[in-house]
Amino acid sequence: MIRLQKHTKQNKTREQRQESSANRYSVLYTLKGQYQHVGCSTEEEAQYVLSMLMTDGNRVPVGIYDSNADSFEWEIIGQYFHSQDSISDQQTRLHEVLTISRTLRRRDASWQPGYLQKPSFFA
């Protein structure tokens, strides 16, 4: 019985790690003035989604949020403009985008715990 409980706990821990890494990254973009995101498992997948957003006439890419590192990487044009601002403006904008990213992830995780939906680009 103890051995089964230990095995079950190990499986739950492994599943939790897989769930959290399954959507480690969020690609943040705006659509009709509203922030949206797409959950991605890997950085490569997130970079691909970001590049696809660059060619979408309706969606404006913002960047990639890494939930494990709690960090944000601006898309290339946004990074340029962001770097032109004062340090205090950069910090304010970074705080805002981190808050938005965390909020979107929390909202979507509440719909289906541990799983971020991947909305269609054609929605």
Side-chain angles (χ1 to χ4, degrees):
M1 179 77 170
I2 294 173
R3 188 170 197 177
L4 178 61
Q5 288 175 336
K6 183 178 179 184
H7 181 70
T8 304
K9 285 181 184 179
Q10 288 173 344
N11 283 344
K12 284 183 181 179
T13 303
R14 188 177 306 129
E15 288 171 7
Q16 289 170 345
R17 277 193 306 245
Q18 287 174 342
E19 284 176 357
S20 66
S21 66
N23 289 302
R24 174 179 175 174
Y25 300 93
S26 287
V27 179
L28 190 65
Y29 65 93
T30 59
L31 175 64
K32 297 180 182 179
Q34 297 286 319
Y35 282 97
Q36 303 291 325
H37 73 127
V38 177
C40 297
S41 301
T42 65
E43 187 174 3
E44 292 79 21
E45 181 184 7
Q47 291 289 346
Y48 175 76
V49 170
L50 186 65
S51 70
M52 294 301 294
L53 287 170
M54 299 279 236
T55 63
D56 188 318
N58 297 318
R59 290 163 179 82
V60 179
V62 178
I64 299 171
Y65 173 71
D66 180 345
S67 65
N68 286 6
D70 193 35
S71 63
F72 191 81
E73 176 186 338
W74 299 94
E75 58 82 28
I76 191 127
I77 297 168
Q79 176 62 40
Y80 171 77
F81 287 114
H82 181 70
S83 68
Q84 302 300 307
D85 291 337
S86 69
I87 298 297
S88 64
D89 286 346
Q90 288 180 27
Q91 290 173 340
T92 299
R93 189 169 297 111
L94 180 60
H95 177 72
E96 288 173 359
V97 79
L98 286 172
T99 301
I100 290 166
S101 298
R102 291 178 198 128
T103 302
L104 287 171
R105 290 177 65 83
R106 198 170 30 252
R107 177 200 70 186
D108 289 356
S110 70
W111 291 341
Q112 205 170 18
Y115 180 75
L116 297 179
Q117 297 286 332
K118 287 189 176 185
S120 167
F121 283 121
F122 304 103

